[in-house]
Amino acid sequence: EVVRYRHRSEVTKCEMGFAVFLPPGCNSLAKAPALYWLSGLTCDDTNFIFKAGAQRQLAKEGLAVVCPDTSPRGCNLPGETEKWDFGAGAGFYLNATTPGYKDHYRMFDYVTEELPQLVQQHLPIASDRRSIFGHSMGGLGALNLFLKKPGFYKSVSAFAPICHPVACPWGRKAFTGYLGPDENKWKEWDPSLLLKNLPPTKMPKILISQGLSDQFLKDGQLQPEALPVHPNITLEMHEGYDHSYYFIATFVDEHVAFHAANLKK
């Protein structure tokens, strides 16, 4: 079962949407573990549900999936709808600190606090078993949320994530607009730097899939080479795949199985 919901968010101070898939058999007495999916630039809460083809594997594993929107919308902020890679559809899953944006663009708090509380209150979704994954900007978000909320998520994976945003055009543009010009503040939202600051013995298990024909990889937007080399970080480089949902649909079952193994421990 797939349902889209709308609600007034106290965190973003606007109406927000999210989509949920519930596996067969889950109910108030048999609540499902949840995978949170974070989509990429220009996307909304529907892209994964419609394009990834993950429902069969999710149903097999007994997992729900929760897909939030990629940003607040309709806040009438300067520059909010002028560019496709900043503002509406491009919230970067952080808490903004710049004037105007700090009042609405608090996607980190929305995804890690308000949204889980909402779905757990109203849907048969377990409150103690959740994992997170995402694509591109959403892959960046998934890595950051997992690392900045230790223990909140059981596992994390990503498709073609923005790994080193302080050093790529997308990240530098977004961080300037959301966090201001102080680049030291940007580092708090860069997963490659957060991971490098961890002791090797504390390195979490991470699964990352990247297509070698991805134009954004070639353009230097993704930079998976910035991630630390560690046995717990699995970086799969796939010949012939680009940045599209065809790539995600090909390997999504592997990611769902990875999370299922962690959620069922």
Side-chain angles (χ1 to χ4, degrees):
E1 179 186 18
V2 175
V3 181
R4 293 184 74 193
Y5 298 92
R6 305 288 297 176
H7 73 107
R8 177 74 185 181
S9 168
E10 297 300 321
V11 170
T12 65
K13 297 182 174 61
C14 68
E15 190 173 88
M16 297 292 291
F18 63 94
V20 177
F21 166 79
L22 293 175
C26 71
N27 54 57
S28 60
L29 299 177
K31 295 184 178 182
L35 269 174
Y36 284 77
W37 170 267
L38 305 184
S39 283
L41 293 164
T42 75
C43 294
D44 60 20
D45 55 300
T46 66
N47 293 75
F48 181 82
I49 293 290
F50 291 157
K51 297 179 179 180
Q55 284 91 327
R56 182 176 60 180
Q57 187 69 18
L58 289 165
K60 177 184 175 183
E61 299 286 4
L63 302 180
V65 71
V66 181
C67 305
D69 202 349
T70 52
S71 75
R73 296 180 189 267
C75 300
N76 299 314
L77 297 170
E80 184 182 18
T81 59
E82 294 176 3
K83 303 291 185 180
W84 65 272
D85 53 358
F86 178 81
F92 273 77
Y93 304 103
L94 47 70
N95 287 337
T97 57
T98 51
Y101 284 93
K102 67 181 180 182
D103 298 323
H104 300 279
Y105 278 64
R106 297 173 55 201
M107 289 298 290
F108 179 86
D109 285 351
Y110 175 73
V111 175
T112 63
E113 296 177 12
E114 187 176 29
L115 183 59
Q117 292 170 11
L118 189 66
V119 298
Q120 289 157 200
Q121 180 181 353
H122 295 284
L123 297 170
I125 288 178
S127 61
D128 58 344
R129 289 172 293 155
R130 70 182 71 81
S131 291
I132 192 165
F133 62 157
H135 172 230
S136 194
M137 175 188 73
L140 162 67
L143 292 169
N144 274 337
L145 270 57
F146 178 85
L147 293 168
K148 292 170 78 67
K149 292 276 288 189
F152 191 69
Y153 301 100
K154 298 288 187 183
S155 52
V156 63
S157 72
F159 291 87
I162 302 171
C163 296
H164 194 23
V166 303
C168 78
W170 280 341
R172 295 186 65 82
K173 179 178 183 177
F175 287 179
T176 299
Y178 294 136
L179 303 174
D182 184 353
E183 296 191 19
N184 284 320
K185 294 180 180 179
W186 300 2
K187 295 176 183 178
E188 301 172 21
W189 299 97
D190 187 308
S192 70
L193 300 179
L194 295 177
L195 285 167
K196 286 175 181 176
N197 287 335
L198 290 177
T201 56
K202 299 291 186 180
M203 194 67 66
K205 289 187 177 181
I206 300 173
L207 172 63
I208 295 174
S209 297
Q210 173 65 60
L212 286 170
S213 294
D214 187 327
Q215 187 59 49
F216 299 120
L217 176 69
K218 298 173 183 178
D219 292 344
Q221 297 282 17
L222 308 178
Q223 301 186 31
E225 67 277 5
L227 297 169
V229 176
H230 191 280
N232 285 355
I233 300 178
T234 300
L235 176 58
E236 298 181 346
M237 307 296 283
H238 296 284
E239 192 73 44
Y241 286 92
D242 60 12
H243 203 69
S244 73
Y245 263 85
Y246 296 112
F247 168 55
I248 295 170
T250 302
F251 299 102
V252 72
D253 284 4
E254 177 189 359
H255 282 246
V256 171
F258 168 77
H259 291 295
N262 286 280
L263 285 165
K264 294 176 180 178
K265 285 182 179 178

